[in-house]
């Protein structure tokens, strides 16, 4: 039976200012739509733009939009097939090496960014990565417009890296969500819903970019994305309310924040609690790694034989796959929660996800690719369940530090998945083009093993209890404002592991 404390959001009751609460969550969702529609649209845009520029080296054609015909209309002679494979390999390698420097920088930034937001506030956390994304795509507009060297992409990714990248934005969203939601299954559903908004926004963006590339050119697609990030910055500055009302003491040195981030896993709590944190993070790691590097290699996979898809078709497929999978996963999570633990639901989703990757790797025609999202219809649950599980195990005033560790791990996942998948695709495209998707299925099996261990360890753990001292609340808060307290309060959470 939930206790009174379990019914409260992390930063206070919502009843005092319901309008502000609704405004906060609406604007958080709006920010998710704006940022993610821009970010996910940028991935296939860059893949197709880079592939087109690489193909220009082997032909006299230098138009402003993608042309699958140069590769797909070639005859079946060995020389022409080898040329197509070479273009795929060089494109994959270039996409890999340009992202590495920025990703490494982002890992270091994300180690402290979330913990800093525990006293600087969540609006700061939204603003920084959105500014970095705006700078990145603005530079891309110049690269496309003036036909600058692709080496300028290094600078674009480095600028984004210094602001934390998209993982810093996700850190902002989920810290913001944890501030105003109750622990337990409700938070799991809310986090899954936010990730669902993420996927649907990306799907819409992919379709829009596909239309623009198909009918106009790369430059206008990049300008559209830059405008989206610009609008997101305006929303943050003018409309987004602050939810971090009980702020921690200011500590500017990064060392205490780094110690706090790693403390969950290595120094604090009982050995069993640390083991549960580590297992939950491993589940999160492999759950993320099978998806983050997928889009870029999947775009290259679909552009070449035997599919030869156009940018518009790639955009529609990506939109349908994301929307369908997310919708089914969120609904499935809600329907299955009365019968199963959250981690058990994630395990069921992994089984379907692994089967869908096998189908994608073996696909030889369009209909086999179309069946991929149908088979993996509830495969989306793993990441939000792992994220929510760690959040439930953490005290209210340390959500920023926790999500900072998650963001750093997510950046590592992004770096490793891009490196691994592009390297594997580059070296197997001439032998077995779908090998990279079979590898993703293997990661799904490995993740299942970690979930089984987590379920065994947490079965008899009862309730997770934490105690934190909450300082008096300021009078100028915007969301979930509590009555001023004359003395510190002790907050005890008795959230079940489920």
């Amino acid at each position: 039976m939930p206790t009174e404390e379990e019914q409260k959001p992390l930063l206070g009751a919502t009843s005092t200012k319901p309008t502000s609460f609704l405004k906060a969550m609406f604007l958080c969702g709006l920010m998710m739509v704006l940022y993610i529609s821009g970010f996910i649209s940028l991935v296939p845009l860059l893949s197709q733009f880079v592939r087109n520029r690489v193909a220009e080296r082997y032909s006299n054609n230098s138009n402003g939009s993608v042309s699958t015909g140069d590769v797909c209309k070639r005859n079946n002679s060995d020389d022409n097939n080898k040329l197509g494979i070479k273009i795929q390999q060089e494109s994959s390698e270039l996409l890999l090496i340009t992202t590495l420097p920025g990703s490494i920088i982002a890992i270091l930034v994300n180690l402290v960014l979330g913990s800093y937001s525990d006293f600087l506030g969540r609006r700061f956390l939204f603003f920084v990565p959105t500014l970095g994304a705006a700078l990145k795509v603005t530079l891309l507009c110049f690269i496309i417009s003036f036909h600058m060297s692709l080496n300028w992409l290094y600078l674009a990714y480095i600028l984004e890296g210094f602001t934390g990248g998209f993982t810093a934005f996700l850190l902002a969203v989920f810290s913001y969500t944890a501030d105003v939601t109750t622990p337990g299954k409700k938070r799991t559903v809310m986090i899954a819903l936010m990730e669902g908004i993420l996927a649907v926004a990306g799907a819409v963006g992919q379709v829009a970019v596909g239309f623009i590339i198909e009918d106009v050119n790369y430059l206008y697609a990049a300008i559209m994305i830059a405008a989206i990030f610009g609008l997101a910055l305006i929303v943050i500055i003018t409309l987004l309310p602050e939810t971090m009302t009980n702020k921690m003491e200011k500590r500017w040195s990064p060392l205490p924040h780094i110690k706090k981030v790693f403390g969950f896993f290595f120094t604090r709590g009982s050995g069993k609690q640390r083991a549960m944190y580590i297992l939950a993070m491993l589940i999160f790691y492999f759950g993320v790694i099978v998806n983050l590097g997928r889009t870029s290699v999947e775009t290259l996979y679909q552009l070449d034989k035997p599919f030869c898809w156009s940018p518009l078709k790639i955009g529609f497929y990506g939109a349908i796959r994301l929307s369908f999978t997310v919708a089914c996963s969120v609904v499935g999570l809600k329907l299955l929660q009365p019968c199963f633990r959250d981690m058990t639901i994630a395990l069921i989703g992994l089984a379907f996800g692994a089967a869908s990757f096998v189908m994608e790797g073996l696909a030889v025609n369009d209909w086999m690719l179309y069946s991929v999202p149908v088979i993996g219809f509830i495969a989306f649950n793993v990441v939000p369940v792992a994220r929510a599980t760690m959040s439930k195990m953490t005290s209210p005033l340390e959500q920023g530090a926790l999500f900072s560790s998650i963001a750093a791990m997510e950046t590592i996942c992004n770096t490793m998945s891009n490196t691994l998948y592009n390297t594997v695709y580059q070296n197997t495209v001439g032998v077995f083009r779908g090998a990279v998707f079979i590898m993703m299925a293997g990661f799904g099996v490995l993740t299942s093993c970690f979930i089984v261990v987590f379920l065994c360890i947490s079965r008899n753990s009862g309730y997770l209890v934490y105690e934190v001292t909450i300082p008096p609340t300021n009078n100028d808060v915007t969301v979930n404002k509590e009555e001023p307290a004359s003395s510190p309060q002790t907050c005890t959470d008795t959230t079940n592991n489920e």
Side-chain angles (χ1 to χ4, degrees):
M1 187 74 180
T3 64
E4 181 181 352
E5 287 84 355
E6 189 178 345
Q7 297 302 316
K8 298 179 181 178
L10 290 181
L11 295 178
T14 60
S15 59
T16 58
K17 281 214 172 190
T19 302
S20 294
F21 167 75
L22 293 175
K23 177 182 177 182
M25 294 313 301
F26 170 77
L27 290 172
C28 181
L30 177 60
M31 282 302 306
M32 179 75 93
V33 169
L34 291 174
Y35 183 94
I36 297 301
S37 62
F39 175 82
I40 294 185
S41 301
L42 199 54
V43 177
L45 170 63
L46 276 169
S47 295
Q48 295 175 59
F49 171 67
V50 168
R51 178 184 172 278
N52 191 55
R53 287 284 295 269
V54 170
E56 286 177 8
R57 301 173 186 171
Y58 300 96
S59 71
N60 294 322
N61 178 33
S62 180
N63 56 37
S65 184
V66 72
S67 173
T68 58
D70 290 341
V71 174
C72 289
K73 290 182 180 178
R74 64 185 184 266
N75 60 45
N76 290 320
S77 69
D78 287 342
D79 288 343
N80 284 305
N81 282 324
K82 287 178 181 178
L83 175 60
I85 292 170
K86 189 173 183 179
I87 290 171
Q88 291 273 308
Q89 289 174 333
E90 288 188 20
S91 302
S92 179
E93 181 180 7
L94 189 57
L95 287 167
L96 166 64
I97 61 176
T98 53
T99 60
L100 278 178
S103 297
I104 293 170
I105 294 169
I107 292 171
L108 302 176
V109 171
N110 283 322
L111 281 175
V112 298
L113 200 58
S115 190
Y116 274 123
S117 77
D118 285 337
F119 64 83
L120 290 175
R122 308 303 190 206
R123 291 179 67 200
F124 157 81
L125 204 51
F126 275 99
F127 179 81
V128 172
T130 307
L131 177 63
L135 293 174
K136 172 186 172 182
V137 73
T138 299
L139 182 54
L140 177 63
C141 289
F142 283 100
I143 294 171
I144 297 172
S145 180
F146 298 102
H147 211 265
M148 296 163 61
S149 168
L150 292 178
N151 290 332
W152 283 99
L153 288 174
Y154 286 104
L155 178 59
Y157 278 102
I158 288 172
L159 286 172
E160 185 183 42
F162 274 113
T163 59
F166 89 100
T167 50
F169 181 83
L170 295 184
L171 158 61
V173 168
F174 295 116
S175 297
Y176 199 89
T177 302
D179 287 345
V180 293
T181 55
T182 56
K185 294 180 183 292
K186 289 182 180 179
R187 181 172 301 161
T188 305
V189 172
M190 193 63 185
I191 287 178
L193 183 61
M194 295 306 292
E195 297 218 30
I197 293 173
L198 178 157
V200 173
V204 173
Q206 284 192 57
V207 172
V209 164
F211 269 113
I212 295 174
I213 293 175
E214 182 90 356
D215 296 335
V216 191
N217 57 27
Y218 295 115
L219 178 59
Y220 284 93
I223 290 172
M224 181 198 76
I225 296 172
I228 290 173
F229 287 129
L231 179 59
L233 286 172
I234 293 172
V235 172
I236 294 169
I237 294 169
T238 60
L239 298 175
L240 190 70
E242 180 59 68
T243 59
M244 191 61 197
T245 59
N246 294 305
K247 296 182 181 179
M248 301 287 285
E249 178 186 354
K250 291 184 179 181
R251 293 184 180 180
W252 294 105
S253 171
L255 295 179
H257 300 287
I258 293 174
K259 183 179 179 181
K260 188 193 298 186
V261 165
F262 286 105
F264 298 112
F265 309 97
F266 301 111
T267 61
R268 297 166 54 184
S270 66
K272 187 174 185 178
Q273 286 176 319
R274 294 196 297 271
M276 289 173 66
Y277 268 114
I278 290 170
L279 282 168
M281 184 60 85
L282 285 171
I283 293 165
F284 177 83
Y285 173 81
F286 285 104
V288 169
I289 206 169
V290 298
N291 289 312
L292 273 186
R294 176 181 183 174
T295 304
S296 61
V297 294
E298 192 173 60
T299 301
L300 294 175
Y301 186 65
Q302 294 162 352
L303 282 169
D304 203 42
K305 287 185 175 181
F307 310 109
C308 297
W309 283 7
S310 68
L312 185 56
K313 193 171 183 178
I314 291 172
F316 270 118
Y317 175 80
I320 294 170
R321 178 175 66 81
L322 281 171
S323 302
F324 178 78
T325 305
V326 168
C328 291
S329 296
V330 173
V331 172
L333 179 64
K334 188 65 177 175
L335 293 177
L336 293 174
Q337 275 187 332
C339 306
F340 301 100
R341 300 173 65 182
D342 288 345
M343 279 294 183
T344 305
I345 299 171
L347 188 62
I348 295 170
L350 275 171
F352 287 96
S356 71
F357 280 123
V358 171
M359 175 61 75
E360 188 162 14
L362 299 177
V364 293
N365 56 51
D366 288 3
W367 285 108
M368 292 181 75
L369 277 186
Y370 296 151
S371 70
V372 169
V374 177
I375 296 172
F377 70 108
I378 58 169
F380 183 75
N381 284 326
V382 181
V383 174
V385 164
R387 203 188 299 265
T389 297
M390 287 185 280
S391 177
K392 289 186 293 184
M393 294 163 60
T394 307
S395 72
L397 298 184
E398 295 178 319
Q399 293 291 313
L402 171 71
F403 284 110
S404 197
S405 67
I406 292 174
M409 180 59 76
E410 208 157 4
T411 310
I412 293 172
C413 291
N414 187 41
T415 305
M416 291 193 66
S417 62
N418 277 310
T419 303
L420 181 62
Y421 295 155
N422 280 285
T423 301
V424 170
Y425 186 75
Q426 179 183 335
N427 288 284
T428 60
V429 64
V431 183
F432 176 29
R433 299 178 66 247
V436 66
F437 299 105
I438 304 300
M439 174 182 288
M440 294 176 191
F443 283 138
V445 174
L446 182 59
T447 309
S448 301
C449 297
F450 288 126
I451 291 180
V452 170
V453 176
F454 183 92
L455 289 171
C456 291
I457 290 178
S458 63
R459 178 188 297 178
N460 299 318
S461 61
Y463 292 88
L464 296 174
V465 179
Y466 57 76
E467 291 189 358
V468 295
T469 299
I470 300 180
T473 310
N474 295 328
N475 292 326
D476 58 350
V477 297
T478 307
V479 179
N480 296 333
K481 182 169 142 182
E482 298 177 341
E483 293 298 322
S486 58
S487 60
Q489 306 166 11
T490 299
C491 173
T492 303
D493 180 44
T494 53
T495 305
N496 195 302
N497 292 335
E498 299 178 6

